[in-house]
PDB file of all heavy atoms in Angstrom:
ATOM      1  N   PRO A   3    -126.423 -74.895 -26.881  1.00 48.00           N
ATOM      2  CA  PRO A   3    -126.449 -76.268 -26.376  1.00 48.00           C
ATOM      3  C   PRO A   3    -126.860 -76.293 -24.922  1.00 48.00           C
ATOM      4  O   PRO A   3    -126.509 -75.412 -24.147  1.00 48.00           O
ATOM      5  CB  PRO A   3    -124.990 -76.714 -26.555  1.00 48.00           C
ATOM      6  CG  PRO A   3    -124.200 -75.460 -26.575  1.00 48.00           C
ATOM      7  CD  PRO A   3    -125.085 -74.436 -27.223  1.00 48.00           C
ATOM      8  N   PRO A   4    -127.649 -77.289 -24.509  1.00 46.00           N
ATOM      9  CA  PRO A   4    -128.088 -77.357 -23.108  1.00 46.00           C
ATOM     10  C   PRO A   4    -126.945 -77.678 -22.177  1.00 46.00           C
ATOM     11  O   PRO A   4    -125.975 -78.319 -22.565  1.00 46.00           O
ATOM     12  CB  PRO A   4    -129.131 -78.477 -23.123  1.00 46.00           C
ATOM     13  CG  PRO A   4    -128.727 -79.345 -24.269  1.00 46.00           C
ATOM     14  CD  PRO A   4    -128.139 -78.412 -25.314  1.00 46.00           C
ATOM     15  N   GLU A   5    -127.073 -77.227 -20.941  1.00 45.00           N
ATOM     16  CA  GLU A   5    -126.080 -77.595 -19.948  1.00 45.00           C
ATOM     17  C   GLU A   5    -126.289 -79.044 -19.551  1.00 45.00           C
ATOM     18  O   GLU A   5    -127.410 -79.541 -19.507  1.00 45.00           O
ATOM     19  CB  GLU A   5    -126.222 -76.706 -18.712  1.00 45.00           C
ATOM     20  CG  GLU A   5    -125.831 -75.278 -18.966  1.00 45.00           C
ATOM     21  CD  GLU A   5    -125.839 -74.488 -17.670  1.00 45.00           C
ATOM     22  OE1 GLU A   5    -126.418 -74.958 -16.697  1.00 45.00           O
ATOM     23  OE2 GLU A   5    -125.248 -73.400 -17.664  1.00 45.00           O
ATOM     24  N   PRO A   6    -125.243 -79.768 -19.225  1.00 42.00           N
ATOM     25  CA  PRO A   6    -125.414 -81.157 -18.811  1.00 42.00           C
ATOM     26  C   PRO A   6    -126.182 -81.235 -17.509  1.00 42.00           C
ATOM     27  O   PRO A   6    -126.014 -80.414 -16.612  1.00 42.00           O
ATOM     28  CB  PRO A   6    -123.968 -81.654 -18.645  1.00 42.00           C
ATOM     29  CG  PRO A   6    -123.161 -80.418 -18.425  1.00 42.00           C
ATOM     30  CD  PRO A   6    -123.845 -79.351 -19.232  1.00 42.00           C
ATOM     31  N   THR A   7    -127.048 -82.222 -17.404  1.00 41.00           N
ATOM     32  CA  THR A   7    -127.813 -82.441 -16.193  1.00 41.00           C
ATOM     33  C   THR A   7    -127.070 -83.434 -15.314  1.00 41.00           C
ATOM     34  O   THR A   7    -126.633 -84.482 -15.793  1.00 41.00           O
ATOM     35  CB  THR A   7    -129.197 -83.014 -16.529  1.00 41.00           C
ATOM     36  OG1 THR A   7    -129.864 -82.098 -17.386  1.00 41.00           O
ATOM     37  CG2 THR A   7    -130.026 -83.251 -15.273  1.00 41.00           C
ATOM     38  N   PRO A   8    -126.892 -83.154 -14.020  1.00 39.00           N
ATOM     39  CA  PRO A   8    -126.167 -84.091 -13.177  1.00 39.00           C
ATOM     40  C   PRO A   8    -126.909 -85.401 -13.074  1.00 39.00           C
ATOM     41  O   PRO A   8    -128.143 -85.440 -13.145  1.00 39.00           O
ATOM     42  CB  PRO A   8    -126.140 -83.375 -11.810  1.00 39.00           C
ATOM     43  CG  PRO A   8    -127.242 -82.403 -11.857  1.00 39.00           C
ATOM     44  CD  PRO A   8    -127.357 -81.989 -13.286  1.00 39.00           C
ATOM     45  N   LEU A  73    -136.307 -81.870 -12.833  1.00 45.00           N
ATOM     46  CA  LEU A  73    -134.853 -81.738 -12.903  1.00 45.00           C
ATOM     47  C   LEU A  73    -134.237 -82.817 -13.773  1.00 45.00           C
ATOM     48  O   LEU A  73    -133.223 -82.602 -14.425  1.00 45.00           O
ATOM     49  CB  LEU A  73    -134.266 -81.791 -11.487  1.00 45.00           C
ATOM     50  CG  LEU A  73    -134.500 -80.549 -10.625  1.00 45.00           C
ATOM     51  CD1 LEU A  73    -134.086 -80.825  -9.192  1.00 45.00           C
ATOM     52  CD2 LEU A  73    -133.747 -79.353 -11.167  1.00 45.00           C
ATOM     53  N   ARG A  74    -134.848 -84.016 -13.764  1.00 44.00           N
ATOM     54  CA  ARG A  74    -134.308 -85.085 -14.607  1.00 44.00           C
ATOM     55  C   ARG A  74    -134.532 -84.788 -16.082  1.00 44.00           C
ATOM     56  O   ARG A  74    -133.779 -85.227 -16.934  1.00 44.00           O
ATOM     57  CB  ARG A  74    -134.980 -86.413 -14.237  1.00 44.00           C
ATOM     58  CG  ARG A  74    -134.518 -86.977 -12.906  1.00 44.00           C
ATOM     59  CD  ARG A  74    -134.933 -88.431 -12.751  1.00 44.00           C
ATOM     60  NE  ARG A  74    -136.366 -88.619 -12.765  1.00 44.00           N
ATOM     61  CZ  ARG A  74    -137.132 -88.513 -11.683  1.00 44.00           C
ATOM     62  NH1 ARG A  74    -136.591 -88.194 -10.527  1.00 44.00           N
ATOM     63  NH2 ARG A  74    -138.414 -88.728 -11.763  1.00 44.00           N
ATOM     64  N   GLY A  75    -135.592 -84.047 -16.388  1.00 43.00           N
ATOM     65  CA  GLY A  75    -135.871 -83.715 -17.776  1.00 43.00           C
ATOM     66  C   GLY A  75    -136.596 -84.828 -18.493  1.00 43.00           C
ATOM     67  O   GLY A  75    -136.930 -85.870 -17.911  1.00 43.00           O
ATOM     68  N   PRO A  76    -136.850 -84.653 -19.809  1.00 40.00           N
ATOM     69  CA  PRO A  76    -137.587 -85.657 -20.573  1.00 40.00           C
ATOM     70  C   PRO A  76    -136.764 -86.921 -20.755  1.00 40.00           C
ATOM     71  O   PRO A  76    -135.533 -86.901 -20.676  1.00 40.00           O
ATOM     72  CB  PRO A  76    -137.850 -84.953 -21.914  1.00 40.00           C
ATOM     73  CG  PRO A  76    -136.759 -83.939 -22.022  1.00 40.00           C
ATOM     74  CD  PRO A  76    -136.458 -83.500 -20.611  1.00 40.00           C
ATOM     75  N   SER A  77    -137.449 -88.026 -20.993  1.00 40.00           N
ATOM     76  CA  SER A  77    -136.764 -89.293 -21.221  1.00 40.00           C
ATOM     77  C   SER A  77    -137.426 -89.990 -22.394  1.00 40.00           C
ATOM     78  O   SER A  77    -138.503 -89.619 -22.833  1.00 40.00           O
ATOM     79  CB  SER A  77    -136.826 -90.171 -19.964  1.00 40.00           C
ATOM     80  OG  SER A  77    -138.166 -90.435 -19.615  1.00 40.00           O
ATOM     81  N   GLY A  78    -136.779 -91.036 -22.883  1.00 39.00           N
ATOM     82  CA  GLY A  78    -137.337 -91.771 -23.995  1.00 39.00           C
ATOM     83  C   GLY A  78    -136.526 -91.560 -25.261  1.00 39.00           C
ATOM     84  O   GLY A  78    -135.592 -90.749 -25.314  1.00 39.00           O
ATOM     85  N   LEU A  79    -136.891 -92.313 -26.283  1.00 38.00           N
ATOM     86  CA  LEU A  79    -136.156 -92.287 -27.545  1.00 38.00           C
ATOM     87  C   LEU A  79    -136.145 -90.892 -28.148  1.00 38.00           C
ATOM     88  O   LEU A  79    -137.182 -90.253 -28.299  1.00 38.00           O
ATOM     89  CB  LEU A  79    -136.797 -93.277 -28.525  1.00 38.00           C
ATOM     90  CG  LEU A  79    -136.079 -93.464 -29.869  1.00 38.00           C
ATOM     91  CD1 LEU A  79    -134.698 -94.056 -29.637  1.00 38.00           C
ATOM     92  CD2 LEU A  79    -136.903 -94.369 -30.782  1.00 38.00           C
ATOM     93  N   GLY A  80    -134.959 -90.392 -28.462  1.00 37.00           N
ATOM     94  CA  GLY A  80    -134.834 -89.108 -29.144  1.00 37.00           C
ATOM     95  C   GLY A  80    -134.871 -87.899 -28.241  1.00 37.00           C
ATOM     96  O   GLY A  80    -134.892 -86.779 -28.735  1.00 37.00           O
ATOM     97  N   THR A  81    -134.898 -88.107 -26.904  1.00 34.00           N
ATOM     98  CA  THR A  81    -135.006 -86.961 -26.004  1.00 34.00           C
ATOM     99  C   THR A  81    -133.730 -86.691 -25.227  1.00 34.00           C
ATOM    100  O   THR A  81    -133.714 -85.854 -24.332  1.00 34.00           O
ATOM    101  CB  THR A  81    -136.153 -87.173 -24.998  1.00 34.00           C
ATOM    102  OG1 THR A  81    -135.854 -88.317 -24.191  1.00 34.00           O
ATOM    103  CG2 THR A  81    -137.472 -87.377 -25.699  1.00 34.00           C
ATOM    104  N   ALA A  82    -132.647 -87.379 -25.555  1.00 36.00           N
ATOM    105  CA  ALA A  82    -131.427 -87.239 -24.755  1.00 36.00           C
ATOM    106  C   ALA A  82    -130.902 -85.815 -24.755  1.00 36.00           C
ATOM    107  O   ALA A  82    -130.276 -85.362 -23.796  1.00 36.00           O
ATOM    108  CB  ALA A  82    -130.352 -88.191 -25.269  1.00 36.00           C
ATOM    109  N   GLY A  83    -131.138 -85.052 -25.837  1.00 34.00           N
ATOM    110  CA  GLY A  83    -130.611 -83.695 -25.906  1.00 34.00           C
ATOM    111  C   GLY A  83    -131.565 -82.637 -25.405  1.00 34.00           C
ATOM    112  O   GLY A  83    -131.269 -81.450 -25.498  1.00 34.00           O
ATOM    113  N   LEU A  84    -132.739 -83.028 -24.885  1.00 32.00           N
ATOM    114  CA  LEU A  84    -133.730 -82.048 -24.451  1.00 32.00           C
ATOM    115  C   LEU A  84    -133.662 -81.871 -22.954  1.00 32.00           C
ATOM    116  O   LEU A  84    -133.792 -82.831 -22.202  1.00 32.00           O
ATOM    117  CB  LEU A  84    -135.142 -82.519 -24.836  1.00 32.00           C
ATOM    118  CG  LEU A  84    -135.384 -82.729 -26.340  1.00 32.00           C
ATOM    119  CD1 LEU A  84    -136.785 -83.264 -26.557  1.00 32.00           C
ATOM    120  CD2 LEU A  84    -135.193 -81.426 -27.093  1.00 32.00           C
ATOM    121  N   ARG A  85    -133.455 -80.635 -22.515  1.00 35.00           N
ATOM    122  CA  ARG A  85    -133.432 -80.339 -21.088  1.00 35.00           C
ATOM    123  C   ARG A  85    -134.124 -79.007 -20.847  1.00 35.00           C
ATOM    124  O   ARG A  85    -134.154 -78.141 -21.730  1.00 35.00           O
ATOM    125  CB  ARG A  85    -131.993 -80.256 -20.554  1.00 35.00           C
ATOM    126  CG  ARG A  85    -131.214 -81.559 -20.661  1.00 35.00           C
ATOM    127  CD  ARG A  85    -131.787 -82.637 -19.758  1.00 35.00           C
ATOM    128  NE  ARG A  85    -131.134 -83.909 -20.003  1.00 35.00           N
ATOM    129  CZ  ARG A  85    -131.623 -85.076 -19.609  1.00 35.00           C
ATOM    130  NH1 ARG A  85    -132.774 -85.119 -18.971  1.00 35.00           N
ATOM    131  NH2 ARG A  85    -130.981 -86.188 -19.855  1.00 35.00           N
ATOM    132  N   LEU A  86    -134.628 -78.829 -19.632  1.00 35.00           N
ATOM    133  CA  LEU A  86    -135.230 -77.550 -19.275  1.00 35.00           C
ATOM    134  C   LEU A  86    -134.198 -76.491 -18.974  1.00 35.00           C
ATOM    135  O   LEU A  86    -134.491 -75.317 -18.964  1.00 35.00           O
ATOM    136  CB  LEU A  86    -136.144 -77.722 -18.051  1.00 35.00           C
ATOM    137  CG  LEU A  86    -137.461 -78.437 -18.320  1.00 35.00           C
ATOM    138  CD1 LEU A  86    -138.172 -78.679 -17.007  1.00 35.00           C
ATOM    139  CD2 LEU A  86    -138.325 -77.642 -19.256  1.00 35.00           C
ATOM    140  N   THR A  87    -132.975 -76.919 -18.673  1.00 35.00           N
ATOM    141  CA  THR A  87    -131.955 -75.941 -18.331  1.00 35.00           C
ATOM    142  C   THR A  87    -131.492 -75.186 -19.559  1.00 35.00           C
ATOM    143  O   THR A  87    -131.558 -75.662 -20.674  1.00 35.00           O
ATOM    144  CB  THR A  87    -130.732 -76.616 -17.687  1.00 35.00           C
ATOM    145  OG1 THR A  87    -130.292 -77.672 -18.546  1.00 35.00           O
ATOM    146  CG2 THR A  87    -131.075 -77.170 -16.320  1.00 35.00           C
TER     147      THR A  87
END
Side-chain angles (χ1 to χ4, degrees):
E5 291 187 344
T7 301
L73 287 170
R74 287 194 298 274
S77 60
L79 185 64
T81 63
L84 300 177
R85 297 294 173 197
L86 287 173
T87 53

